[in-house]
Amino acid sequence: MDKKDLFAAFDGFSQNLMETLAEAEALKKQVQDLVEQNAALRLENSKLRDRLSQFSQLEESESGNKGISSRKENLENIYEDGFHICTFFYGQRRENNEDCAFCMELLYRE
Ligand SMILES: [Zn+2]
């Protein structure tokens, strides 16, 4: 293989690498979007369950506070998984797992 062929081969190789890298970035973005969508849906689900138990008299009379505490647990789980539960960044990932004052307010207010 002469030098010309060698450089051509390297050009092709690095071109492929760039394309693969771009594809990987695109995939990563898609996964991030899906993960955030999933967190937002979990939040919605938790809200709807909460609503449902408000309307269901059976649950209300049998376990008045159970609905609220399990909703809080749900929110805690979602927060612990690294997502915002506050209205400002609803369902988005918490960057580097940093605590969010708005989320904390929701979780720990009495
Ligand atoms: Zn937040």
Side-chain angles (χ1 to χ4, degrees), residues 79 83-90 94 100-104:
Y79 186 76
F83 297 96
H84 286 278
I85 57 168
C86 60
T87 45
F88 299 96
F89 307 105
Y90 197 76
R94 286 187 290 119
C100 166
F102 304 118
C103 290
M104 300 293 257

Side-chain angles (χ1 to χ4, degrees), residues 9 12-13 15 23 25 38 46 49 52 57 68 73-74:
F13 181 60
Q15 181 68 30
E23 277 168 25
E25 282 297 319
N38 184 264
S46 159
R49 278 176 194 280
L52 206 61
Q57 289 184 343
I68 294 164
E73 253 170 54
N74 266 336

Side-chain angles (χ1 to χ4, degrees), residues 12-61:
F13 181 60
S14 59
Q15 181 68 30
N16 280 342
L17 270 183
M18 302 280 258
E19 281 166 15
T20 307
L21 195 68
E23 277 168 25
E25 282 297 319
L27 275 176
K28 193 174 120 190
K29 178 81 180 64
Q30 277 182 30
V31 169
Q32 269 170 353
D33 287 350
L34 281 175
V35 160
E36 287 191 354
Q37 254 180 45
N38 184 264
L41 287 173
R42 281 167 72 194
L43 283 166
E44 290 297 320
N45 194 12
S46 159
K47 264 195 213 162
L48 288 173
R49 278 176 194 280
D50 198 34
R51 260 292 164 78
L52 206 61
S53 72
Q54 276 175 12
F55 284 114
S56 141
Q57 289 184 343
L58 210 142
E59 275 208 33
E60 225 168 273
S61 58

